Amino acid sequence: MCDICVMNSVKEKMLSRRSFFKASGMASVGAIVGGTVSAPPALAAGHQQIEDMTHTLHESFPTYFGESQFSSEQLFNYAEHSFNLNQYTVNEHTGTHIDAPLHFSADGRSVDEIPVENLVAPLCVIDIAARAAGDADAQVTPDDVKAWMASHGDIPANACVAMHSGWGAKVASDAFRGFDGEKQHYPGFHVEATQMLIEETGAMSLAVDTLSLDHGISGDFATHYAWLPSGRFGIENLANLDKVPANGATLIIGAPKHKGGTGGPARIMALI
């Protein structure tokens, strides 16, 4: 069959499928309000909302190295080809993304080897936003972890422990990276808090709303080197931590699955 015949056949099938699903799809559109949607019946009992925890990735998204790490080229467009197709190039550690154990270890798990059961996690949010507002170099300390547990109980097995520093609101400004000409300035996890989580809890992922698990002025990546070689993974540039509770939400982590990857952009959502 000629190429144009194949394309026309595919197009006809797509239009037929679109007509079939249009009616049922329209029924759910009214439930969508901003980034939060009403929970479908399939959600576990107790969850009422879904919150998008992912920043939109684009060429100007802030990066650790200060230069763009994402580009996109349109190879086909609807006007000329009757379909759209883009090709993109991306650094694995760009936007809202995963740090796999392999990122900071010689032989740790790659992103495709992260067990799928670790990608659905109880979310524990440690809020240091008030302190970070006055100190861009603030860190989550063991005292912050202890205070969270005193208020909410033990950190659950397989939990994602996330730092809410308020940095998500800065993502469109230079303050997100906080570069002063020599060093970056933004909050992160202190290595002692990281070690405490490893030794005293069953947490399997660590998340921040900044560019790095370590605070920006770190020169040794102590938190990365403590956390990732232990077989756990990280999440950086998480969005909307101000819209989820300190305890009780469930994080759904849409990690990429490319062979041998040290990480990659992820679509992440919270069930509340």
Side-chain angles (χ1 to χ4, degrees), residues 66-225:
E67 299 179 353
S68 178
Q69 295 179 175
F70 174 84
S71 62
S72 179
E73 176 187 4
Q74 185 168 33
L75 301 183
F76 296 89
N77 64 77
Y78 197 86
E80 295 180 58
H81 310 105
S82 297
F83 68 100
N84 293 304
L85 188 151
N86 298 326
Q87 178 170 284
Y88 67 87
T89 302
V90 63
N91 180 301
E92 289 177 313
H93 300 274
T94 308
T96 302
H97 69 272
I98 304 296
D99 278 8
L102 182 60
H103 185 36
F104 271 73
S105 61
D107 56 1
R109 282 175 170 154
S110 56
V111 70
D112 57 303
E113 294 173 330
I114 295 174
V116 69
E117 59 266 26
N118 293 160
L119 301 178
V120 180
L123 178 60
C124 306
V125 181
I126 298 177
D127 188 345
I128 65 164
R131 188 162 80 242
D135 179 10
D137 300 322
Q139 298 181 82
V140 175
T141 67
D143 285 343
D144 293 315
V145 177
K146 291 174 185 176
W148 190 95
M149 291 193 291
S151 296
H152 305 288
D154 291 341
I155 291 173
N158 196 49
C160 174
V161 180
M163 173 193 75
H164 169 43
S165 70
W167 241 245
K170 304 175 186 285
V171 72
S173 71
D174 290 340
F176 189 75
R177 188 164 180 258
F179 187 62
D180 64 5
E182 294 184 3
K183 291 184 178 294
Q184 301 172 63
H185 297 275
Y186 44 77
F189 276 86
H190 194 286
V191 66
E192 291 179 2
T194 305
Q195 291 167 337
M196 178 182 176
L197 291 169
I198 293 171
E199 296 168 5
E200 300 182 22
T201 79
M204 289 302 297
S205 52
L206 202 65
V208 293
D209 53 1
T210 59
L211 283 164
S212 176
L213 302 179
D214 289 272
H215 65 163
I217 62 172
S218 171
D220 58 8
F221 297 102
T223 291
H224 277 84
Y225 279 114

